Amino acid sequence: MRLFYCLELPDAVRNDLARLSREFQVRVRGGTWVAPENLHVTLRFLGEVGEDLLPSLEGLGQNAALRVEPFELFLDRFGAFPHPGRARVLWVGPIRDSAPFAILAQQVEEGVQALGFPPERRLAHPHVTLARLRIPQDLTSVIGGAAPPVLQARVGALTLMQSDLRPKGPLYRPVARWALGGGDRGV
Ligand code: 2AM
């Protein structure tokens, strides 16, 4: 199974992001646009994982979720990976670092490394991918010319998500969900 840890977003925030995405779709050609229901914040991509690892991954998720209280994630800037001048990924994310996000990401990273996953070389950077571009494009003026987003998402849970790749786009299904701070929000 193909798995990743992520933060799900409230419906209202996904709706707002979908609207912003549609505005970009008029100006940016050649992108694969993330379906509104799939918009999320990746914490750690695991890739193809044997089902035997699930209990460990679930224990790890539960422990990590206990370490932080629910928090607000600001989504107040557009950006691009690796950079706007040669964009492969168009995203929305916070201007300022998010301490709760960083703590969660570090907990998960340490946990998956302890399970034998190779270290993630780059620091997890909170973002919601809107589009992936097969051919890198210069989006400097598109991003610079857009009014900055003013969104804020209440993050109340950590999710272990399964992704089934289909020709028409991935189907995401939560495998497990843990309330931050230990409240009850199971799948
Ligand atoms: P992204 O949002 O930065 O594109 C599910 O596929 C999520 O896992 C995606 O949202 C993507 O993050 C991330 N992902 C997919 N393939 C990946 C890979 N090979 N390495 C790292 N992250 C990946």
Side-chain angles (χ1 to χ4, degrees), residues 5 44 46 57 60 105-122:
Y5 290 99
R44 177 57 148 93
L46 300 173
L57 292 171
L60 186 173
Q106 191 186 338
Q107 287 295 322
V108 168
E109 184 60 34
E110 285 174 9
V112 300
Q113 285 186 28
L115 291 177
F117 285 82
E120 187 68 79
R121 266 165 293 149
R122 277 166 301 181

mmCIF file of all heavy atoms in Angstrom, residues 5 44 46 57 60 105-122:
data_model
loop_
_atom_site.group_PDB
_atom_site.id
_atom_site.type_symbol
_atom_site.label_atom_id
_atom_site.label_comp_id
_atom_site.label_asym_id
_atom_site.label_seq_id
_atom_site.Cartn_x
_atom_site.Cartn_y
_atom_site.Cartn_z
ATOM 1 N N TYR A 5 1.791 10.320 5.689
ATOM 2 C CA TYR A 5 1.194 11.046 6.806
ATOM 3 C C TYR A 5 0.860 12.447 6.320
ATOM 4 O O TYR A 5 1.662 13.069 5.609
ATOM 5 C CB TYR A 5 2.169 11.168 7.972
ATOM 6 C CG TYR A 5 2.459 9.887 8.701
ATOM 7 C CD1 TYR A 5 3.612 9.162 8.443
ATOM 8 C CD2 TYR A 5 1.584 9.409 9.680
ATOM 9 C CE1 TYR A 5 3.897 7.993 9.130
ATOM 10 C CE2 TYR A 5 1.865 8.237 10.375
ATOM 11 C CZ TYR A 5 3.022 7.529 10.088
ATOM 12 O OH TYR A 5 3.294 6.374 10.782
ATOM 13 N N ARG A 44 4.804 13.490 5.745
ATOM 14 C CA ARG A 44 5.883 12.560 5.399
ATOM 15 C C ARG A 44 5.338 11.543 4.403
ATOM 16 O O ARG A 44 4.386 10.833 4.706
ATOM 17 C CB ARG A 44 6.388 11.866 6.663
ATOM 18 C CG ARG A 44 7.472 10.798 6.452
ATOM 19 C CD ARG A 44 8.695 11.364 5.747
ATOM 20 N NE ARG A 44 9.953 10.751 6.125
ATOM 21 C CZ ARG A 44 10.531 9.722 5.479
ATOM 22 N NH1 ARG A 44 9.943 9.166 4.445
ATOM 23 N NH2 ARG A 44 11.711 9.280 5.885
ATOM 24 N N LEU A 46 5.666 8.083 2.530
ATOM 25 C CA LEU A 46 6.314 6.802 2.844
ATOM 26 C C LEU A 46 6.518 5.940 1.607
ATOM 27 O O LEU A 46 7.409 5.097 1.588
ATOM 28 C CB LEU A 46 5.460 6.020 3.862
ATOM 29 C CG LEU A 46 5.227 6.720 5.210
ATOM 30 C CD1 LEU A 46 4.235 5.936 6.049
ATOM 31 C CD2 LEU A 46 6.543 6.901 5.952
ATOM 32 N N LEU A 57 3.332 1.784 12.197
ATOM 33 C CA LEU A 57 3.057 3.129 11.674
ATOM 34 C C LEU A 57 1.903 3.775 12.430
ATOM 35 O O LEU A 57 1.858 4.992 12.623
ATOM 36 C CB LEU A 57 2.756 3.071 10.176
ATOM 37 C CG LEU A 57 3.946 2.685 9.290
ATOM 38 C CD1 LEU A 57 3.501 2.448 7.847
ATOM 39 C CD2 LEU A 57 5.019 3.778 9.336
ATOM 40 N N LEU A 60 3.196 4.843 15.878
ATOM 41 C CA LEU A 60 4.029 6.035 15.677
ATOM 42 C C LEU A 60 3.159 7.286 15.500
ATOM 43 O O LEU A 60 3.416 8.332 16.097
ATOM 44 C CB LEU A 60 4.865 5.767 14.439
ATOM 45 C CG LEU A 60 5.950 6.644 13.901
ATOM 46 C CD1 LEU A 60 6.616 5.900 12.769
ATOM 47 C CD2 LEU A 60 5.482 7.991 13.457
ATOM 48 N N ALA A 105 6.346 16.989 12.388
ATOM 49 C CA ALA A 105 7.162 16.437 11.297
ATOM 50 C C ALA A 105 8.401 15.746 11.854
ATOM 51 O O ALA A 105 8.796 14.678 11.377
ATOM 52 C CB ALA A 105 7.554 17.551 10.315
ATOM 53 N N GLN A 106 8.992 16.355 12.868
ATOM 54 C CA GLN A 106 10.204 15.758 13.438
ATOM 55 C C GLN A 106 9.880 14.450 14.162
ATOM 56 O O GLN A 106 10.612 13.461 14.039
ATOM 57 C CB GLN A 106 10.873 16.740 14.396
ATOM 58 C CG GLN A 106 12.261 16.247 14.784
ATOM 59 C CD GLN A 106 12.919 17.107 15.831
ATOM 60 O OE1 GLN A 106 12.553 18.269 15.995
ATOM 61 N NE2 GLN A 106 13.880 16.538 16.533
ATOM 62 N N GLN A 107 8.780 14.442 14.894
ATOM 63 C CA GLN A 107 8.368 13.213 15.582
ATOM 64 C C GLN A 107 8.157 12.073 14.588
ATOM 65 O O GLN A 107 8.595 10.950 14.793
ATOM 66 C CB GLN A 107 7.047 13.446 16.325
ATOM 67 C CG GLN A 107 7.181 14.294 17.561
ATOM 68 C CD GLN A 107 8.029 13.608 18.618
ATOM 69 O OE1 GLN A 107 7.948 12.394 18.789
ATOM 70 N NE2 GLN A 107 8.844 14.364 19.306
ATOM 71 N N VAL A 108 7.448 12.396 13.515
ATOM 72 C CA VAL A 108 7.157 11.377 12.505
ATOM 73 C C VAL A 108 8.449 10.933 11.822
ATOM 74 O O VAL A 108 8.677 9.737 11.611
ATOM 75 C CB VAL A 108 6.130 11.917 11.473
ATOM 76 C CG1 VAL A 108 6.028 10.999 10.270
ATOM 77 C CG2 VAL A 108 4.764 12.086 12.130
ATOM 78 N N GLU A 109 9.311 11.898 11.514
ATOM 79 C CA GLU A 109 10.576 11.563 10.838
ATOM 80 C C GLU A 109 11.422 10.633 11.696
ATOM 81 O O GLU A 109 11.949 9.620 11.207
ATOM 82 C CB GLU A 109 11.335 12.852 10.497
ATOM 83 C CG GLU A 109 12.609 12.651 9.710
ATOM 84 C CD GLU A 109 12.386 11.972 8.359
ATOM 85 O OE1 GLU A 109 11.341 12.213 7.738
ATOM 86 O OE2 GLU A 109 13.255 11.177 7.952
ATOM 87 N N GLU A 110 11.544 10.971 12.981
ATOM 88 C CA GLU A 110 12.335 10.114 13.875
ATOM 89 C C GLU A 110 11.719 8.725 13.957
ATOM 90 O O GLU A 110 12.412 7.708 13.954
ATOM 91 C CB GLU A 110 12.399 10.727 15.282
ATOM 92 C CG GLU A 110 13.344 11.915 15.356
ATOM 93 C CD GLU A 110 13.290 12.607 16.720
ATOM 94 O OE1 GLU A 110 12.657 12.086 17.655
ATOM 95 O OE2 GLU A 110 13.892 13.699 16.825
ATOM 96 N N GLY A 111 10.396 8.687 14.023
ATOM 97 C CA GLY A 111 9.702 7.407 14.142
ATOM 98 C C GLY A 111 9.890 6.528 12.913
ATOM 99 O O GLY A 111 10.164 5.328 13.038
ATOM 100 N N VAL A 112 9.767 7.118 11.739
ATOM 101 C CA VAL A 112 9.880 6.282 10.533
ATOM 102 C C VAL A 112 11.331 5.845 10.310
ATOM 103 O O VAL A 112 11.574 4.735 9.843
ATOM 104 C CB VAL A 112 9.279 6.943 9.250
ATOM 105 C CG1 VAL A 112 7.797 7.222 9.439
ATOM 106 C CG2 VAL A 112 10.010 8.193 8.842
ATOM 107 N N GLN A 113 12.258 6.712 10.693
ATOM 108 C CA GLN A 113 13.667 6.285 10.586
ATOM 109 C C GLN A 113 13.949 5.118 11.523
ATOM 110 O O GLN A 113 14.666 4.186 11.169
ATOM 111 C CB GLN A 113 14.605 7.448 10.876
ATOM 112 C CG GLN A 113 14.679 8.447 9.725
ATOM 113 C CD GLN A 113 15.727 9.517 9.956
ATOM 114 O OE1 GLN A 113 16.711 9.300 10.631
ATOM 115 N NE2 GLN A 113 15.491 10.681 9.388
ATOM 116 N N ALA A 114 13.349 5.163 12.720
ATOM 117 C CA ALA A 114 13.540 4.060 13.674
ATOM 118 C C ALA A 114 12.960 2.761 13.109
ATOM 119 O O ALA A 114 13.406 1.668 13.451
ATOM 120 C CB ALA A 114 12.884 4.411 15.010
ATOM 121 N N LEU A 115 11.975 2.891 12.214
ATOM 122 C CA LEU A 115 11.389 1.701 11.581
ATOM 123 C C LEU A 115 12.178 1.249 10.355
ATOM 124 O O LEU A 115 11.813 0.269 9.706
ATOM 125 C CB LEU A 115 9.945 1.981 11.162
ATOM 126 C CG LEU A 115 8.930 2.161 12.286
ATOM 127 C CD1 LEU A 115 7.555 2.504 11.709
ATOM 128 C CD2 LEU A 115 8.849 0.895 13.131
ATOM 129 N N GLY A 116 13.203 2.008 10.016
ATOM 130 C CA GLY A 116 14.059 1.589 8.911
ATOM 131 C C GLY A 116 13.863 2.348 7.612
ATOM 132 O O GLY A 116 14.510 2.030 6.608
ATOM 133 N N PHE A 117 12.984 3.352 7.611
ATOM 134 C CA PHE A 117 12.838 4.155 6.379
ATOM 135 C C PHE A 117 14.080 5.033 6.213
ATOM 136 O O PHE A 117 14.611 5.546 7.195
ATOM 137 C CB PHE A 117 11.600 5.055 6.472
ATOM 138 C CG PHE A 117 10.305 4.319 6.293
ATOM 139 C CD1 PHE A 117 9.718 3.639 7.363
ATOM 140 C CD2 PHE A 117 9.670 4.286 5.057
ATOM 141 C CE1 PHE A 117 8.527 2.955 7.202
ATOM 142 C CE2 PHE A 117 8.478 3.603 4.892
ATOM 143 C CZ PHE A 117 7.903 2.936 5.962
ATOM 144 N N PRO A 118 14.537 5.212 4.986
ATOM 145 C CA PRO A 118 15.686 6.095 4.781
ATOM 146 C C PRO A 118 15.319 7.528 5.147
ATOM 147 O O PRO A 118 14.171 7.936 4.943
ATOM 148 C CB PRO A 118 15.982 5.974 3.279
ATOM 149 C CG PRO A 118 14.797 5.326 2.674
ATOM 150 C CD PRO A 118 14.024 4.630 3.749
ATOM 151 N N PRO A 119 16.268 8.284 5.707
ATOM 152 C CA PRO A 119 15.972 9.661 6.121
ATOM 153 C C PRO A 119 15.498 10.513 4.959
ATOM 154 O O PRO A 119 15.954 10.339 3.828
ATOM 155 C CB PRO A 119 17.311 10.182 6.650
ATOM 156 C CG PRO A 119 18.233 9.032 6.696
ATOM 157 C CD PRO A 119 17.663 7.901 5.923
ATOM 158 N N GLU A 120 14.573 11.418 5.255
ATOM 159 C CA GLU A 120 14.151 12.419 4.266
ATOM 160 C C GLU A 120 15.221 13.492 4.280
ATOM 161 O O GLU A 120 15.530 14.041 5.342
ATOM 162 C CB GLU A 120 12.794 12.986 4.696
ATOM 163 C CG GLU A 120 12.146 13.913 3.712
ATOM 164 C CD GLU A 120 11.684 13.211 2.436
ATOM 165 O OE1 GLU A 120 10.634 12.562 2.446
ATOM 166 O OE2 GLU A 120 12.426 13.332 1.433
ATOM 167 N N ARG A 121 15.794 13.779 3.135
ATOM 168 C CA ARG A 121 16.927 14.711 3.123
ATOM 169 C C ARG A 121 16.502 16.141 3.423
ATOM 170 O O ARG A 121 17.161 16.864 4.116
ATOM 171 C CB ARG A 121 17.650 14.657 1.771
ATOM 172 C CG ARG A 121 18.826 13.687 1.783
ATOM 173 C CD ARG A 121 19.269 13.381 0.388
ATOM 174 N NE ARG A 121 18.252 12.619 -0.333
ATOM 175 C CZ ARG A 121 18.035 12.690 -1.634
ATOM 176 N NH1 ARG A 121 18.751 13.487 -2.372
ATOM 177 N NH2 ARG A 121 17.110 11.952 -2.208
ATOM 178 N N ARG A 122 15.319 16.501 2.886
ATOM 179 C CA ARG A 122 14.902 17.887 3.080
ATOM 180 C C ARG A 122 13.977 18.025 4.286
ATOM 181 O O ARG A 122 13.193 17.124 4.580
ATOM 182 C CB ARG A 122 14.179 18.407 1.831
ATOM 183 C CG ARG A 122 15.153 18.893 0.784
ATOM 184 C CD ARG A 122 14.460 19.076 -0.536
ATOM 185 N NE ARG A 122 13.860 17.812 -0.980
ATOM 186 C CZ ARG A 122 13.192 17.655 -2.112
ATOM 187 N NH1 ARG A 122 13.012 18.668 -2.896
ATOM 188 N NH2 ARG A 122 12.703 16.485 -2.454
#
